[in-house]
Amino acid sequence: NGLIIQWVIYTVTLSGNDRYEYYISFPVTFPNKALNIQTSVQSPSAPHNTYIADTDSITKTSIRFCFTKVFSTNTTTGEYKCHMLSVGY
């Protein structure tokens, strides 16, 4: 009954809009609860838009990320690589 740590890399496509929502499933369901989620967003090569990712719905099986644009150099569609570290039990 110890801690479970999961590392996930996923890609989202963002096309210049101000806000996006994505549901990401954990590779393994947490038996009890997800305790903490950390994520970072890696922008594609320049020119690009800058997004921040926040969460508002965390379950034992998935999480909803909301990407909000904070800086824009264009409206080009881009694939953003996201790294997520999840801790639960």
Side-chain angles (χ1 to χ4, degrees):
N1 293 351
L3 288 179
I4 299 170
I5 299 172
Q6 300 185 55
W7 176 263
V8 178
I9 299 173
Y10 60 96
T11 301
V12 297
T13 300
L14 306 175
S15 63
N17 292 337
D18 289 337
R19 188 167 170 85
Y20 294 87
E21 295 179 359
Y22 282 92
Y23 285 88
I24 307 298
S25 296
F26 298 121
V28 176
T29 297
F30 289 107
N32 297 294
K33 185 177 183 177
L35 297 172
N36 187 286
I37 311 297
Q38 302 294 319
T39 190
S40 62
V41 181
Q42 179 182 349
S43 297
S45 59
H48 64 274
N49 300 314
T50 302
Y51 291 86
I52 58 170
D54 62 272
T55 62
D56 64 355
S57 177
I58 302 171
T59 69
K60 296 187 292 186
T61 60
S62 67
I63 185 168
R64 181 172 80 166
F65 281 106
C66 300
F67 294 88
T68 305
K69 184 169 49 175
V70 294
F71 177 76
S72 179
T73 58
N74 65 28
T75 58
T76 305
T77 298
E79 289 190 343
Y80 291 70
K81 187 179 288 186
C82 301
H83 302 262
M84 179 177 71
L85 179 69
S86 312
V87 179
Y89 67 102

